[in-house]
């Protein structure tokens, strides 16, 4: 599992807190292999946090740093996976 916190300076901004929780709730409603699973949305001492699936692997930034430019085939594969995840979110009424 991974835990995502709202940045401490944003916890004093009601709009930021509401947006953080709203986006977490929207993500929790999407079940798809290309969308991270949100297990729980919690709050402690006025600080909201999300318990979600931990995805093993490297970031795109790290991959580009280590291996350089992606091949067109890799870009197409990654783009298709992103599009499928976004489609699943859109079908649940969420626009990212």
């Amino acid at each position: 599992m991974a835990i995502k916190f709202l940045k401490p300076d944003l916890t004093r901004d009601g709009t930021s807190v509401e947006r953080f929780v709203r986006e977490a709730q929207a993500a929790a409603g999407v079940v798809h292999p290309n969308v991270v699973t949100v297990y729980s949305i919690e709050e402690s001492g006025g600080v909201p946090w999300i318990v979600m699936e931990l995805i093993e692997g490297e970031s795109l930034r790290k991959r580009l740093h280590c291996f350089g430019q992606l091949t067109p085939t890799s870009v197409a594969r990654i783009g298709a996976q992103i599009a499928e995840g976004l489609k699943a979110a859109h079908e649940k009424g969420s626009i990212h």
Side-chain angles (χ1 to χ4, degrees):
M1 284 189 255
I3 298 176
K4 180 177 183 177
F5 289 91
L6 184 61
K7 291 182 180 181
D9 59 316
L10 295 177
T11 61
R12 295 181 291 276
D13 176 13
T15 302
S16 294
V17 171
E18 288 175 19
R19 182 177 19 214
F20 182 81
V21 171
R22 186 175 55 247
E23 289 178 2
Q25 290 169 334
V30 180
V31 178
H32 190 274
N34 296 339
V35 177
V36 67
T37 300
V38 173
Y39 298 119
S40 179
I41 304 162
E42 305 291 336
E43 181 268 327
S44 179
V47 178
W49 44 286
I50 306 166
V51 179
M52 60 187 170
E53 174 184 18
L54 175 64
I55 305 296
E56 297 289 339
E58 63 190 357
S59 68
L60 179 58
R61 175 178 288 144
K62 184 174 180 180
R63 181 161 184 86
L64 291 172
H65 177 74
C66 291
F67 299 104
Q69 188 174 7
L70 298 174
T71 66
T73 302
S74 292
V75 171
R77 182 180 47 79
I78 293 167
Q81 291 174 359
I82 292 168
E84 287 297 319
L86 289 171
K87 178 182 175 193
H90 180 76
E91 287 172 351
K92 292 289 186 177
S94 180
I95 298 175
H96 193 290

